[in-house]
Amino acid sequence: METPTNIGRGSPKDVFLQLGLFITLYISVVSLITLLMKVINYRFPDLLRDGDYGLFYDRSFYSSGSVRWALSALLILVPVHLILYWWQNKGLNLEPAKRESKFRKGLIYLTLFLTAGTVLITLIILVYHFLGGELTTRFLLKVISVLVVTGLVFFAYLRNVRVKLEAGPLSSRGYILITLVVVAASLTGGFLITGSPTSQRSLRLDAERVQDLQSLVYNLQSYWEAHQGKLPPDLQTLALDINYRTTASDPETGEPYGYTITGPNTFDLCATFTLATPAPPTLVKPRLGSEADSWEHLAGQTCFSRTLDPARLKPPTPRD
């Protein structure tokens, strides 16, 4: 039989259970809010706040590491947290005296404090951006998202420390069901935007192809300047030159990129892409530079025409 002292301290099993419960809770809440903010930003893009969308893939939700981390954390930690929550409440129903554990109550009150602080700080940040011109729809959706997530946590754990009966909408079963609905909806929104792991790999391969082509343009420009206005007859010649280390073949298939000289200072570079260039919907993208500088593409083979600037040629050094 446990003494009051043992109940107040909690057994090692209870301590590890509580630590696991609240650590998974904190990470899950941060991940869920992060994902919701990203999805809202994607669905309701704001040209003034979402960065420069003229640069290839910097404009994209797809390649965001924070989104992948959020999805990964939610997929793994939310089920673990809910299992621990159910397990804890099952044990408390069997041994109600454990509800008086000082360690458990301390963690709950810490959680309530952190939740309230998160709400206040987040609302301050959101209002700050709203006063600076944030779109009203985005602002309202973000406020609602924060209030729903933090409100669920706050009232569930406030009830957990004050109410001793398992009943009502925020009982163990109610909390688990509501959490599953909120997280499932968020994950669905995230996966609808990011696509499958296969599409993510295709996007990364396409991004690498564009980087290869950009590097080739830079090296062709340097070769052209160094050889007084002469382009290499093929990419193999460029690659064999000791001064130009560049990738001239597709990272997936190993096939060489297409290269055609179209004039004294013009050429085409071609590559076969798996997917079209991703772009957030309903967003009018600004143009930086000329249309010829664009690296946007459709799925399949796409060729890019480039023109070298004759003004960059240095006059030949006069001989003595």
Side-chain angles (χ1 to χ4, degrees), residues 260-279:
T260 304
I261 298 175
T262 58
N265 65 326
T266 60
F267 59 88
D268 289 346
L269 286 175
C270 303
T272 301
F273 297 93
T274 307
L275 301 173
T277 304

Side-chain angles (χ1 to χ4, degrees), residues 28-303:
S28 297
V29 168
V30 172
S31 301
L32 182 56
I33 292 178
T34 298
L35 179 60
L36 289 171
M37 296 298 170
K38 292 288 186 178
V39 171
I40 292 171
N41 286 343
Y42 181 88
R43 288 299 183 185
F44 300 92
D46 185 349
L47 187 60
L48 294 176
R49 299 201 175 276
D50 289 341
D52 179 7
Y53 287 90
L55 300 177
F56 187 78
Y57 285 135
D58 286 349
R59 69 190 183 200
S60 171
F61 176 98
Y62 300 81
S63 59
S64 172
S66 61
V67 174
R68 294 199 301 273
W69 276 115
L71 289 171
S72 301
L74 290 173
L75 285 171
I76 300 301
L77 295 183
V78 169
V80 174
H81 171 72
L82 294 179
I83 291 172
L84 292 176
Y85 186 85
W86 171 82
W87 189 8
Q88 172 205 241
N89 280 272
K90 181 180 178 181
L92 293 176
N93 288 335
L94 294 175
E95 299 180 70
K98 288 187 175 182
R99 291 182 181 274
E100 304 305 318
S101 167
K102 294 180 180 179
F103 182 74
R104 172 179 171 273
K105 283 190 173 183
L107 287 176
I108 291 179
Y109 283 121
L110 175 63
T111 300
L112 296 177
F113 172 77
L114 293 176
T115 302
T118 300
V119 172
L120 293 176
I121 294 174
T122 305
L123 289 179
I124 290 172
I125 295 173
L126 292 177
V127 171
Y128 170 81
H129 287 299
F130 177 69
L131 295 176
E134 176 82 77
L135 293 176
T136 303
T137 303
R138 280 176 32 144
F139 169 74
L140 292 176
L141 288 175
K142 289 177 180 179
V143 169
I144 292 172
S145 299
V146 171
L147 292 179
V148 168
V149 174
T150 56
L152 175 62
V153 173
F154 189 88
F155 289 109
Y157 281 88
L158 180 63
R159 178 195 179 282
N160 205 276
V161 78
R162 294 180 61 184
V163 180
K164 298 184 179 181
L165 297 176
E166 277 291 297
L170 285 181
S171 63
S172 176
R173 181 177 299 178
Y175 172 76
I176 291 174
L177 290 177
I178 296 173
T179 301
L180 287 175
V181 170
V182 173
V183 172
S186 304
L187 290 174
T188 300
F191 281 120
L192 285 176
I193 295 172
T194 61
S196 66
T198 301
S199 64
Q200 281 290 309
R201 178 173 177 79
S202 297
L203 286 167
R204 291 173 61 189
L205 285 169
D206 284 347
E208 188 170 342
R209 292 180 180 108
V210 167
Q211 291 173 359
D212 289 345
L213 295 182
Q214 290 172 331
S215 177
L216 284 171
V217 170
Y218 174 81
N219 283 287
L220 286 168
Q221 173 81 47
S222 299
Y223 183 101
W224 184 72
E225 294 174 8
H227 292 78
Q228 291 298 309
K230 292 183 179 180
L231 287 165
D234 50 53
L235 295 180
Q236 287 71 25
T237 301
L238 177 68
L240 291 173
D241 194 301
I242 192 172
N243 294 318
Y244 306 102
R245 300 300 181 189
T246 186
T247 301
S249 59
D250 187 278
E252 184 178 27
T253 65
E255 294 294 323
Y257 292 121
Y259 168 68
T260 304
I261 298 175
T262 58
N265 65 326
T266 60
F267 59 88
D268 289 346
L269 286 175
C270 303
T272 301
F273 297 93
T274 307
L275 301 173
T277 304
T282 70
L283 181 65
V284 179
K285 302 182 291 296
R287 286 290 183 189
L288 292 182
S290 65
E291 181 68 23
D293 296 328
S294 172
W295 293 98
E296 295 185 356
H297 57 80
L298 298 175
Q301 188 178 57
T302 303
C303 293

